[in-house]
Amino acid sequence: MAAEGTQEIDAPFVVQCGKCRTIVADSFSWAQSDADMNTVTFQAAVGVVNSNDPLTSKEGKDKGSTFEILRCSHCDSVIGRIYITTPRVLDAIRDMYTFDIATVSSYKLGTGLPAAPDTAMTATATPSGTTVANGETISSAAEKQIQKQLVQMQKMLLLFKQQLDDAVGSGDLNTTNKPPASKRSRS
């Protein structure tokens, strides 16, 4: 079960700068999301630079927090914050990469479709049992089937990676691209 402020991730995804689509994070380093602040927080990020110029929040849930601005390293867009100090309720996101949902987009691996260029990372359940994600409507049954397939694919990829790591670690993997030397019989 997920802790308060967190959700279980059903399939891997990447987070991209909303302007230039540079990948800035992925679900393997996901920490939590905060609906009140409209943010998602990750333990690690790529393709970002921080301002190294501390600012203090003057309003909202993070009032009194000290943070540095996060910018996309490719297009220089402001996409989030790294909190240096926080009120106790936000201690879990301190020293992590917190992105404003309105400034990033996401791509769920295995869907075969890129996120729409002008949409933010959003998902909303509707009373009719459908989910609206980035402007697309998906029935609950179809979403569950897709999620199940993605989880199976993720497990298969993780197993493959483990087998590859084991083969490389044990020296069983032929990395020279040469055929193994044949055994010669002695006469």
Side-chain angles (χ1 to χ4, degrees):
M1 178 155 190
E4 186 179 336
T6 64
Q7 302 168 354
E8 296 295 326
I9 296 176
D10 59 351
F13 64 89
V14 295
V15 176
Q16 302 166 295
C17 169
K19 183 176 180 184
C20 71
R21 299 289 182 242
T22 295
I23 293 174
V24 295
D26 65 62
S27 57
F28 292 105
S29 65
W30 181 80
Q32 71 178 41
S33 58
D34 189 309
D36 295 334
M37 292 176 38
N38 216 17
T39 61
V40 62
T41 301
F42 294 84
Q43 297 170 352
V46 296
V48 296
V49 292
N50 59 315
S51 64
N52 291 318
D53 184 23
L55 301 171
T56 301
S57 178
K58 305 221 184 300
E59 58 184 35
K61 186 176 180 179
D62 63 346
K63 183 178 181 179
S65 297
T66 306
F67 62 91
E68 294 176 351
I69 299 285
L70 275 180
R71 294 182 178 275
C72 173
S73 62
H74 183 74
C75 70
D76 207 36
S77 293
V78 174
I79 55 176
R81 302 173 173 188
I82 296 178
Y83 285 96
I84 301 166
T85 64
T86 58
R88 187 167 293 183
V89 69
L90 296 177
D91 280 351
I93 66 171
R94 187 180 309 136
D95 297 322
M96 293 193 195
Y97 300 86
T98 300
F99 298 102
D100 296 316
I101 290 176
T103 64
V104 294
S105 64
S106 66
Y107 175 80
K108 198 172 196 179
L109 299 180
T111 62
L113 299 172
D118 296 328
T119 58
M121 188 168 60
T122 58
T124 309
T126 63
S128 64
T130 60
T131 299
V132 179
N134 288 337
E136 299 290 326
T137 303
I138 306 169
S139 71
S140 295
E143 182 180 17
K144 287 179 184 176
Q145 181 64 25
I146 291 168
Q147 289 174 353
K148 182 178 176 183
Q149 291 172 345
L150 288 171
V151 167
Q152 289 172 341
M153 184 186 319
Q154 182 181 15
K155 288 178 183 178
M156 187 173 59
L157 288 171
L158 291 172
L159 178 62
F160 178 70
K161 182 188 180 311
Q162 181 62 50
Q163 289 173 343
L164 184 60
D165 289 347
D166 291 346
V168 169
S170 68
D172 291 342
L173 188 62
N174 180 1
T175 59
T176 62
N177 292 330
K178 294 180 183 175
S182 60
K183 295 181 180 176
R184 297 181 185 168
S185 60
R186 292 190 173 179
S187 339

